[in-house]
């Protein structure tokens, strides 16, 4: 073993020990976090309505601004679709909070606003709500993967898979596919059909959402001109979709994340160690509805997005969690497989080396 590899192993062992100590502390104080979050779980009607106004109104202004600028310059239109996509991401955060029933105190109000914002973001509210609840219930649980999350294989699963499965997995995890084709697949395919086992209410909402969207798109194409309408709406949806997939990806696919088998899995540890704090510039933090405080959101999904920063500032142990910055988050593009032995993400090359070592 070379001195460099010894230093790497020592550094990894130190980081692993620190992580295990944090996990022990969290388990010893299982009930404290509930008290820390309790005061922030009640939505403010004023703040919720103000967030609706300062999100939907600018989005509509930018949308029609991009549309009318088409006669001036197509480049000006495309330029305006960028901030419009940002406000659509912020709209999705409202949609997301409604799905957790954390945006309003009234369940009915959450469902109504959730359905409406779902139309703006092209997501059927009840289907997405169910799948996202499954994600929260099993985040980091190796026995509960497959719904509402980024498909992730362990090193052992990947190495034991047939060649076709490995090739398809490599294709799926390719950034050009995930962030390039991903938004198109979400809008046109995944959420246009019901999941297996969906109840009548969910099925009806999915079909109704698709029918209304088809009607709105048809009306927009005929009433506003199909070229201009599809350019504006399509570009905004695509950019917002890319941003949304990236946010979800980077907040769970960081190097020292958390994955355990069901018998060793722990909800609090999964929230605090398996969800990152994505530290963004203030403008992007506002535009993404504080979703960067993802560890707090997973710990208390009933906390409205506008209260996440307050909790982070007040509770010390919530500041000592995996933190990812804008530039450091780019490293996550290299992470492909979960190494159960080292408790970390590795790339495909790392898996190949492990396979070669196993032969010897």
């Amino acid at each position: 073993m070379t001195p460099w590899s010894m230093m790497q192993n020592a550094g990894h062992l130190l980081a692993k020990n620190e992580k295990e100590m944090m996990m022990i502390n969290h388990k010893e104080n299982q009930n404290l976090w509930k008290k820390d979050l309790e005061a922030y779980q009640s939505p403010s009607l004023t703040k919720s309505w103000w967030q609706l106004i300062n999100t939907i109104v600018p989005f509509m202004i930018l949308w029609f601004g991009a549309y009318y600028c088409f006669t001036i310059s197509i480049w000006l239109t495309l330029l305006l679709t960028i901030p419009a996509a940002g406000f659509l991401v912020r709209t999705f955060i409202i949609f997301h909070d409604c799905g957790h029933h954390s945006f309003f105190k009234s369940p009915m109000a959450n469902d109504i606003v959730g359905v409406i914002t779902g139309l703006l973001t092209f997501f059927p509210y009840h289907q997405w709500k169910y799948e996202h609840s499954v994600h929260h219930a099993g985040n980091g649980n190796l026995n509960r993967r497959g719904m509402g999350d980024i498909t992730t294989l362990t090193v052992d699963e990947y190495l034991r898979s047939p060649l076709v499965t490995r090739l398809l997995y490599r294709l799926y995890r390719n950034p050009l596919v995930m962030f390039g084709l991903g938004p198109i697949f979400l809008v046109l395919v995944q959420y246009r059909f019901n999941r297996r086992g969906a109840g009548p209410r969910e099925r009806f909402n999915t079909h109704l959402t698709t029918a209304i969207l088809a009607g709105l798109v048809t009306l927009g194409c005929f009433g506003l001109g199909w070229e201009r309408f599809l350019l504006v709406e399509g570009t905004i949806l695509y950019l917002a979709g890319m941003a949304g997939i990236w946010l979800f990806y980077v907040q769970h696919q960081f190097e020292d994340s958390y994955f355990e088998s069901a018998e060793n899995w722990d909800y609090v540890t999964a929230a605090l160690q398996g969800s990152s704090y994505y530290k963004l510039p203030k403008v992007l933090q506002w535009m993404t509805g504080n979703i960067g405080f993802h560890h707090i959101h997973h710990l208390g999904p009933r906390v409205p997005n506008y209260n996440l920063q307050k909790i982070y500032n007040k509770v010390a142990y919530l500041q000592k969690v995996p933190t990812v910055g804008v530039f450091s988050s780019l490293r996550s593009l290299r992470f492909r497989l979960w190494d159960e032995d080292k408790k970390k993400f590795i790339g495909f090359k790392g898996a190949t080396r492990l396979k070669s070592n196993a032969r010897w």
Side-chain angles (χ1 to χ4, degrees), residues 138-298:
N139 173 44
N141 190 328
L142 289 172
N143 298 89
R144 297 188 65 178
R145 289 168 291 167
M147 180 178 287
D149 55 16
I150 300 292
T151 300
T152 302
L153 293 180
T154 66
V155 172
D156 186 54
E157 289 170 340
Y158 175 78
L159 294 178
R160 289 191 290 112
S161 295
L163 178 60
V164 174
T165 302
R166 295 201 303 271
L167 291 175
L168 289 175
Y169 184 73
R170 279 177 171 268
L171 188 64
Y172 168 79
R173 300 287 295 209
N174 187 297
L176 293 177
V177 175
M178 183 171 291
F179 305 107
L181 297 179
I184 300 173
F185 179 79
L186 286 177
V187 171
L188 298 181
V189 181
Q190 182 170 338
Y191 284 100
R192 303 284 69 88
F193 302 95
N194 280 295
R195 62 177 181 85
R196 184 178 300 176
R201 186 186 188 191
E202 183 180 320
R203 288 181 176 278
F204 176 75
N205 175 248
T206 299
H207 292 316
L208 182 62
T209 299
T210 299
I212 293 175
L213 288 174
L216 291 175
V217 170
T218 302
L219 186 64
C221 287
F222 278 99
L224 300 176
W226 70 270
E227 290 177 312
R228 293 168 66 177
F229 177 83
L230 292 181
L231 176 68
V232 173
E233 181 66 15
T235 304
I236 292 173
L237 277 174
Y238 186 74
L239 294 176
M242 287 179 63
I245 293 173
W246 170 252
L247 285 169
F248 190 78
Y249 177 90
V250 76
Q251 289 170 336
H252 294 289
Q253 303 281 311
F254 52 96
E255 186 171 12
D256 295 311
S257 187
Y258 175 88
F259 283 92
E260 288 287 352
S261 56
E263 60 270 18
N264 298 319
W265 182 84
D266 175 69
Y267 176 83
V268 176
T269 308
L272 298 181
Q273 297 298 318
S275 305
S276 68
Y277 164 39
Y278 194 17
K279 191 173 184 180
L280 295 169
K282 287 298 180 181
V283 174
L284 293 181
Q285 180 184 323
W286 184 88
M287 195 69 78
T288 56
N290 293 318
I291 200 62
F293 297 102
H294 211 61
H295 61 299
I296 302 176
H297 168 63
H298 266 268

Side-chain angles (χ1 to χ4, degrees), residues 51-70:
Q51 190 169 69
L52 274 171
I53 294 170
N54 67 31
T55 301
I56 305 298
V57 173
F59 170 72
M60 298 306 297
I61 292 174
L62 285 165
W63 197 102
F64 283 102
Y67 173 80
Y68 285 111
C69 282
F70 187 87

Side-chain angles (χ1 to χ4, degrees), residues 312-345:
Y312 179 82
N313 292 340
K314 184 177 180 180
V315 184
Y317 66 82
L318 293 178
Q319 301 169 15
K320 300 176 182 179
V321 295
T323 303
V324 180
V326 174
F327 292 106
S328 62
S329 66
L330 298 177
R331 294 181 57 207
S332 67
L333 293 172
R334 300 181 300 179
F335 304 144
R336 302 286 193 270
L337 301 162
W338 179 252
D339 189 326
E340 289 188 83
D341 295 325
K342 295 183 178 180
K343 303 295 184 185
K344 63 185 293 186
F345 271 107

